[in-house]
Amino acid sequence: MPPAETPDILLIRQTRPDVAGRLAERFRLHRLEEAPDREAFLDAVGPRIRGLAVGAMCPIDARLFDRLPQLEIVASFGVGYDTIDAGEAHRRGIVVTHTPDVLSDEVADLALGLLLATLRQIPQADRYLRAGRWREGSFPLTTSLRERRVGILGLGRIGRAIAQRLEGFGVRIAYHGRTPQADVAYTYHDSLLGLAQAVDTLIVAAPGGPGTNGIVDAGVLAALGADGVVINIARGSVIDEAALIAALQAGTILGAGLDVFANEPQVPQALIDLDRTVLLPHVGSGSHHTRAAMGRLLTDNLFSWFDGKGPVTPVPETPWKGQR
Ligand code: 8YV
């Protein structure tokens, strides 16, 4: 039995055994998903909970905070925290942490893989061979990364890692974000539409949330032109999915490579039916190496907090500024 002063931690959609195992060494763990009656469970343990360990894309809001009056910290698994009401957490003095940096290279690698797969139709060519169609004739020629102008929406940690990789491919790189960045040589556009007009390939690396909801809209897609290709490794919400489907169906853009969707794990049948899409089940950070690093960083945040050393990787909105 842990001593009485052992902090109580609630796990929500956080099922990695290494995370739970490490937390169990130090904390008293409660697993929301294992409770037969979650409301009764929250009534019983909620008043004691001081920390949350949550899976990615898990809704954490005022309603839950109301049930957890002793809550000090929400440690989230993933860099994106658009499903956590960080502003409300701030108002209540609750620290929110995420897992940046440790996944940037993995997600950027996948973005480049998805870009090449979409342009050169790698999955389609694989399906062609497996269906025995090579014997009937060569696979059709594809579009190319050669001579493309690539725009990155969101030059944060992951956007930068994508840009660095693209430099090796010898393509022109431009970007749009809230502010121009002094330490990069890529061309800045102060509007997304301006970026889309200047490029034919758009890689979405901007965070989700109200500020970016549906900003890749019909006008932006049309501006990419008939050779336009969209890659999204960020959040499905950033793209107006209905407008994307309409543009692909009408041929006003050429293709899309998507690792994320508006309503995961639901993927619109229209996207599946299109041959010019490459669709992945949100696997950007999904390697053993990177998910283990994310798990360690999540647990480091909780250990550090309850050791009185503050959070390791707080989100920008969090009340932590060196001291509470
Ligand atoms: C998820 C992600 O963490 O980091 C993010 O924001 O979306 C992913 O890395 C991953 O899908 C775990 O569920």
Side-chain angles (χ1 to χ4, degrees), residues 79-81 98-105 107-108 111 151-167 173-184 186 188 195 203-208 212 233-234 316:
V79 66
Y81 56 96
H98 61 154
T99 61
D101 299 318
V102 293
L103 47 61
S104 300
D105 284 333
V107 177
I152 301 177
L153 170 57
L155 204 68
R157 300 175 179 91
I158 294 174
R160 278 173 179 252
I162 292 170
Q164 283 161 4
R165 283 156 177 73
L166 280 170
E167 284 182 35
I173 302 168
Y175 70 104
H176 167 69
R178 274 170 304 185
T179 48
Q181 310 213 5
D183 58 339
V184 296
Y186 320 126
Y188 177 70
L195 176 69
I203 302 182
V204 179
T212 58
I233 49 74

Side-chain angles (χ1 to χ4, degrees), residues 65 68 71-74 86 89-90 92-96 318-319 324:
F65 295 148
L68 312 172
L71 187 64
E72 299 168 32
I73 179 167
V74 179
H90 184 177
R92 296 176 186 231
I94 299 166
V95 163
V96 177
T318 215
R324 292 187 94 192

Side-chain angles (χ1 to χ4, degrees), residues 55-57 77-81 99 103 107 234-235 282 284-285 291 294:
M57 305 181 75
F77 185 78
V79 66
Y81 56 96
T99 61
L103 47 61
V107 177
R235 283 292 180 266
H282 199 149
S285 67
R291 290 284 171 84
M294 292 161 65

